[in-house]
Amino acid sequence: GWIFWRVMAGGRRSGDRKRQVIFFILCVCVCQSGAETLRYSLAEEMERDSFVANIADDLGVAPSQLAARKARVVSEGNEQLFRLNQNTGVLTAKESLDREEICPQSNTCTLFFKIFFENPLQLIRGEVEVRDVNDNSPVFPEKEMVLEILETASPGSRFPLESAQDKDVGSNGLQNYSLGSNSHFSLALGTGKDGVKYAELVLERQLDREEQRELNLLLTATDGGSPPRSGTAQIRIVVVDANDNIPVFGREVYEVRLAENSPPEQLVVRVTAADPDEGSYGKVRYAFTQTSERSRQLFELNPATGEIRVSGNLDFEEAKNHKMVVKATDGGGLSALCKVHVEVLDVNDNAPEIALTSLTASIPEDAPPRTVVALFSVRDRDSGDNGRTECAIEGDLPFSLTPTFDNYYELRTNAALDRERTAEYNITVTATDWGTTRLSSRESIFVQISDVNDNPPEFTQKVYTMPVTENNSPMLRIGSVNATDADTGKNARVNYALVRQEGKEQPDVSVNSENGDVYILRPLDYEELRAFEVAVRATDRGSPPLSAQAVLRVLVRDENDNAPVVLHPPPESSAVAGELVPRWAPAGYLVAKVVAVDADAGQNAWLSYELAKATEPGLFRVGLHSGEVRTARAVSERDAPRQRLVVLVRDRGQPPRSATATLGIALVDGFSEAHLRVSEEVLAAEPDGPLTLYLIVCLSCVSALFLATAVAAVVVKVRHARRSEAETLPTFPKSATESNAGSLPRSYVYDVCFTAGTVNSEFRFLRPLFPCFPAGLPPAPGEQRSSVCSQEAANLGEEGD
């Protein structure tokens, strides 16, 4: 480098440019081939901008040339550790250098850098060795090391220790260990294959845990720096126990005085055995040994604490003293014994004892007073007043106690019993002694009262009303009766039956003997029987049996099962010889009145009338509710002389039933016999059609039905006369006026009287003729009527006379 700069200077002075270039190339080649690396050293932890070297002096270059050629320093790596001052040529450290941080785990630490020049380009290598200083003390991994050593460990035993670490190197690194003064351990040093020093504890004298449980030692590590640095760590020696001591009781004999009434869990005494060993060897467990079974039952020993507590009932009368032996054993199997003597003190601790000798578990409720129920005795094991007893019954009960002999008592009844009021008694007998602190005991005697059949059955209702619709199916259930009995068992089981009455027919109803269900045996007819009553008897199964009665009333509901019956015109009358209507009759002229009745009741008996068929449909009309047949218009000469009307009578039942009535009407100018004869000849000349035959058949059927109804009514009337509880049958309207009921009992008939041998005849209106009711049909409510037909016949006979 020095040659290079000298050549450059000579070239400038001579001014010979050519020679300057030749010498420059020659010098560059010489410098590149033979240049050496610049080496420096620097102690670590120097301050910032500490001096490293003067590059200008080392290179023999004027400082001005550094700035002219733009000299700069570049460190290897990303961090620039050095700075070059171009004005002075001094190389300094930018920051304080820490060798342990820059070069960890390394004995030498060298930093490399390069210096660059321009005009011309030139590169110079350099390195700085960072010298170690003793700035780190030895450090142990743990501030405290714990060693557990058995107290039985033999002298000479070695125990390795954790090594200290020192970041410094060389003589500044770890050099020596030392141990604090003690009487049991020494320190042995060694060097490993890697050159690291280590230390071991050596046991010099045997340990005794009972003498000293723990030892605390101070271990010091020292380096070779100047001045030297050191680090310390605590060594805690835990002496592990060995079972070399037996348990020792505080006393050989424990004497205790205890009252016999001591409650369970009461503390008697606590035995204690000490064992100086540690861990399981020092834990003592207690147990009974050489102790009777009875004492084991009366006393309980806690194996961990040595507490002896009462576990049974002490009794001075049974045993006055109890002797026990307690064994204490440590975890290593070593044991010791002690004795416990318990003296029992007598107190009034025995309550009276009740012993039941005889008991009648169940007595009948009709048992007489003073009946013996139970026999028991009372005993108190104490003596004197403590053994004297007295007995009493708690509560107000129909029982009493009677003393007999030798502390025996009888339990007797002192009043009448009623099972239905109280079925059982729980009698508490209390026995008390006469001690200062009075003790008592109780005994419960359960007495059950057996049932006697002293209660008859009771119906839930006095009268049971059950409806049924007529024409019912046989064996139809319509309801049930129910009776209860306050007794129990078979005395409370109730059977049901109908009460038969002398002279009366068997009713059409039946009662199930087990559950009281009521059945209708056969179909009923409202027109024959509207209601009836029977008596039902409920009988229990006691001995003797008791019974009660109730009334069963059956109401028959009406059903539309009867068609209307036409009373007028009579079904057997001929439609040819009917009503006479003069040809001068105006509109509204009353021709006749159709009268019909219906044996049903209510809406089923409401009748309506309508014209079903007529020879001249527009000539006549029929009242809807009255049944009156009137002319709808004035009769004319063109109308046929013979008119035939069919009137339909219908009730309002569901479904409705109906009947027809046929009226024959003759239109006449006068009431002469010749006219009638001519009219009859004209009528006879008319051929009979099939309609006439049908009408005759219908009239015959209606007549037969009417006669059958009359006969049935007579029969029913006779039957009802024999019954005392006869019911009235359906009531038919009694008024002749038109009503909403539709059934009008009256009609108007006309008689034509002719005088023999003359053509002049007499026509007269008779008073209304009451219809003939069958003998079996009853009068309307409040109406007294014997025989309408017979009365009318008599009146007619008087008039004819």
Side-chain angles (χ1 to χ4, degrees):
W2 178 80
I3 297 174
F4 170 75
W5 293 113
R6 298 291 291 177
V7 170
M8 291 295 299
R12 284 195 298 270
R13 286 192 299 264
S14 61
D16 191 350
R17 295 291 181 182
K18 183 176 180 181
R19 290 176 61 189
Q20 182 179 357
V21 172
I22 295 173
F23 278 101
F24 174 76
I25 296 173
L26 178 62
C27 289
V28 168
C29 293
V30 171
C31 291
Q32 290 297 327
S33 60
E36 295 182 357
T37 301
L38 300 177
R39 289 181 173 87
Y40 305 100
S41 65
L42 178 68
E44 65 172 335
E45 302 296 340
M46 296 296 289
E47 294 182 357
R48 182 178 180 182
D49 294 330
S50 297
F51 176 82
V52 178
N54 192 323
I55 299 300
D57 292 344
D58 293 339
L59 294 179
V61 179
S64 60
Q65 292 295 323
L66 298 180
R69 296 188 63 187
K70 297 181 181 179
R72 65 181 183 276
V73 63
V74 177
S75 301
E76 290 187 359
N78 297 327
E79 186 177 1
Q80 299 299 317
L81 301 178
F82 303 101
R83 179 184 298 115
L84 178 62
N85 191 329
Q86 295 180 352
N87 297 322
T88 61
V90 176
L91 180 67
T92 60
K94 296 178 63 175
E95 302 289 344
S96 178
L97 301 179
D98 186 358
R99 192 197 67 82
E100 288 76 23
E101 181 180 353
I102 299 173
C103 305
Q105 306 298 328
S106 178
N107 291 329
T108 60
C109 183
T110 302
L111 302 179
F112 299 93
F113 64 90
K114 296 180 177 64
I115 298 176
F116 290 90
F117 291 93
E118 296 182 3
N119 299 320
L121 181 62
Q122 186 180 5
L123 173 63
I124 298 176
R125 296 188 187 92
E127 58 183 37
V128 177
E129 179 184 1
V130 182
R131 298 192 307 272
D132 181 43
V133 295
N134 192 21
D135 60 342
N136 291 281
S137 300
V139 177
F140 288 93
E142 298 290 340
K143 290 296 183 179
E144 183 183 45
M145 291 180 280
V146 179
L147 298 179
E148 293 184 354
I149 303 176
L150 282 172
E151 63 177 337
T152 56
S154 60
S157 300
R158 289 174 173 262
F159 305 95
L161 300 176
E162 288 287 342
S163 297
Q165 304 293 328
D166 195 331
K167 294 183 179 180
D168 295 328
V169 295
S171 62
N172 294 329
L174 179 64
Q175 299 295 326
N176 192 24
Y177 289 96
S178 61
L179 186 65
S181 177
N182 68 93
S183 61
H184 290 86
F185 294 93
S186 63
L187 192 64
L189 301 179
T191 304
K193 294 181 179 181
D194 54 355
V196 178
K197 298 182 182 302
Y198 63 88
E200 292 180 337
L201 277 181
V202 179
L203 181 62
E204 299 293 342
R205 188 166 67 90
Q206 189 169 3
L207 300 173
D208 187 357
R209 193 203 65 80
E210 288 73 30
E211 179 183 342
Q212 190 175 5
R213 295 184 178 182
E214 289 186 1
L215 287 84
N216 291 313
L217 305 178
L218 181 63
L219 179 62
T220 303
T222 309
D223 60 18
S226 181
R229 289 177 174 265
S230 64
T232 60
Q234 290 288 335
I235 302 175
R236 186 161 61 92
I237 308 297
V238 178
V239 183
V240 179
D241 184 43
N243 192 26
D244 53 351
N245 295 280
I246 64 173
V248 178
F249 281 99
R251 287 184 289 175
E252 293 184 0
V253 179
Y254 293 84
E255 294 182 353
V256 182
R257 303 182 69 187
L258 189 65
E260 63 174 338
N261 63 346
S262 299
E265 299 298 328
Q266 178 175 331
L267 179 63
V268 179
V269 68
R270 179 175 182 177
V271 297
T272 304
D275 192 323
D277 291 327
E278 188 70 19
S280 62
Y281 298 137
K283 289 185 177 180
V284 180
R285 306 283 294 180
Y286 303 91
F288 284 128
T289 182
Q290 304 174 18
T291 304
S292 65
E293 185 64 26
R294 181 57 180 163
S295 296
R296 293 173 184 264
Q297 294 175 355
L298 295 176
F299 300 96
E300 180 184 10
L301 174 61
N302 189 314
T305 62
E307 293 180 349
I308 299 178
R309 295 182 180 272
V310 178
S311 61
N313 295 322
L314 300 179
D315 193 354
F316 176 82
E317 290 74 21
E318 178 183 348
K320 298 180 180 180
N321 293 283
H322 295 277
K323 295 182 179 180
M324 297 167 284
V325 178
V326 177
K327 180 181 180 180
T329 306
D330 63 15
L334 301 180
S335 62
L337 301 177
C338 75
K339 296 180 180 179
V340 179
H341 293 172
V342 178
E343 181 183 356
V344 180
L345 303 178
D346 185 27
V347 292
N348 184 24
D349 61 337
N350 291 289
E353 299 176 356
I354 302 175
L356 194 60
T357 303
S358 176
L359 173 64
T360 303
S362 177
I363 59 174
E365 59 179 327
D366 59 351
R370 306 294 300 167
T371 299
V372 178
V373 178
L375 178 67
F376 62 91
S377 63
V378 178
R379 183 174 73 97
D380 194 321
R381 294 194 297 171
D382 294 324
S383 59
D385 289 342
N386 295 334
R388 296 179 60 185
T389 59
E390 61 183 15
C391 293
I393 295 177
E394 296 182 0
D396 185 14
L397 301 176
F399 297 91
S400 63
L401 292 177
T402 303
T404 57
F405 59 90
D406 291 341
N407 292 328
Y408 274 86
Y409 294 86
E410 288 180 343
L411 178 64
R412 296 175 177 267
T413 61
N414 61 3
L417 304 176
D418 187 2
R419 190 206 65 82
E420 287 71 35
R421 181 179 300 174
T422 306
E424 57 190 21
Y425 292 92
N426 192 3
I427 306 169
T428 302
V429 178
T430 303
T432 309
D433 62 19
W434 286 31
T436 304
T437 303
R438 306 191 68 177
L439 302 178
S440 62
S441 60
R442 290 178 174 82
E443 181 70 23
S444 295
I445 300 176
F446 184 76
V447 178
Q448 190 170 10
I449 309 302
S450 61
D451 185 47
V452 175
N453 192 28
D454 55 349
N455 292 281
E458 292 185 4
F459 280 96
T460 56
Q461 302 178 25
K462 294 183 178 180
V463 178
Y464 291 87
T465 302
M466 300 180 186
V468 59
T469 305
E470 65 173 333
N471 301 320
N472 56 280
S473 59
M475 293 304 295
L476 175 66
R477 182 185 180 278
I478 61 173
S480 64
V481 295
N482 183 33
T484 58
D485 197 314
D487 294 322
T488 185
K490 67 176 183 178
N491 297 331
R493 297 180 62 183
V494 179
N495 288 338
Y496 304 90
L498 295 178
V499 179
R500 299 183 181 274
Q501 299 181 3
E502 297 294 335
K504 289 191 176 182
E505 296 182 1
Q506 177 71 19
D508 297 330
V509 69
S510 174
V511 178
N512 188 305
S513 61
E514 296 294 333
N515 53 28
D517 288 345
V518 180
Y519 296 89
I520 299 298
L521 300 178
R522 64 176 182 84
L524 300 179
D525 190 356
Y526 176 83
E527 289 71 33
E528 294 183 5
L529 185 64
R530 291 189 177 184
F532 63 90
E533 291 182 353
V534 293
V536 180
R537 177 184 293 116
T539 307
D540 59 25
R541 297 186 182 182
S543 179
L546 301 178
S547 62
Q549 290 188 7
V551 176
L552 173 61
R553 178 178 296 138
V554 180
L555 301 180
V556 184
R557 292 177 178 174
D558 183 42
E559 190 178 49
N560 191 26
D561 58 343
N562 291 282
V565 177
V566 179
L567 302 181
H568 180 80
E572 64 275 4
S573 62
S574 174
V576 177
E579 310 294 339
L580 299 180
V581 177
R583 287 193 175 272
W584 47 263
Y589 181 82
L590 178 62
V591 178
K593 185 170 184 178
V594 178
V595 179
V597 295
D598 196 316
D600 294 323
Q603 185 174 348
N604 296 331
W606 294 356
L607 302 180
S608 60
Y609 303 84
E610 59 181 279
L611 187 61
K613 188 176 181 181
T615 305
E616 294 288 342
L619 183 58
F620 301 97
R621 60 181 174 85
V622 179
L624 178 62
H625 300 295
S626 63
E628 293 180 349
V629 180
R630 296 178 180 270
T631 55
R633 56 177 174 81
V635 179
S636 63
E637 294 297 332
R638 292 176 299 178
D639 295 328
R642 296 289 183 177
Q643 298 288 331
R644 188 169 180 275
L645 305 179
V646 178
V647 179
L648 178 65
V649 183
R650 178 183 295 141
D651 60 23
R652 294 188 182 181
Q654 291 296 332
R657 293 178 176 270
S658 61
T660 57
T662 304
L663 292 175
I665 300 175
L667 301 180
V668 296
D669 294 326
F671 298 103
S672 62
E673 184 178 359
H675 179 78
L676 292 176
R677 224 177 7 255
V678 172
S679 299
E680 289 176 359
E681 290 176 358
V682 174
L683 182 61
E686 295 178 0
D688 295 334
L691 180 61
T692 304
L693 178 60
Y694 295 157
L695 292 177
I696 294 174
V697 173
C698 293
L699 290 175
S700 300
C701 293
V702 171
S703 300
L705 179 60
F706 178 76
L707 292 176
T709 304
V711 172
V714 171
V715 172
V716 171
K717 190 67 176 178
V718 172
R719 287 186 177 180
H720 286 191
R722 295 179 181 178
R723 297 182 180 179
S724 60
E725 298 179 356
E727 297 289 341
T728 58
L729 292 175
T731 303
F732 301 102
K734 61 181 181 179
S735 174
T737 61
E738 182 177 353
S739 65
N740 292 332
S743 176
L744 300 177
R746 299 187 179 183
S747 66
Y748 291 90
V749 298
Y750 309 93
D751 284 346
V752 180
C753 301
F754 300 97
T755 304
T758 177
V759 291
N760 293 328
S761 299
E762 179 181 359
F763 177 85
R764 64 177 180 177
F765 286 93
L766 299 181
R767 66 184 179 283
L769 179 62
F770 291 94
C772 293
F773 290 93
L777 296 176
E783 179 181 2
Q784 297 181 354
R785 182 172 64 200
S786 57
S787 177
V788 179
C789 294
S790 59
Q791 183 178 355
E792 294 296 330
N795 293 338
L796 290 176
E798 292 175 1
E799 291 180 4
D801 294 341

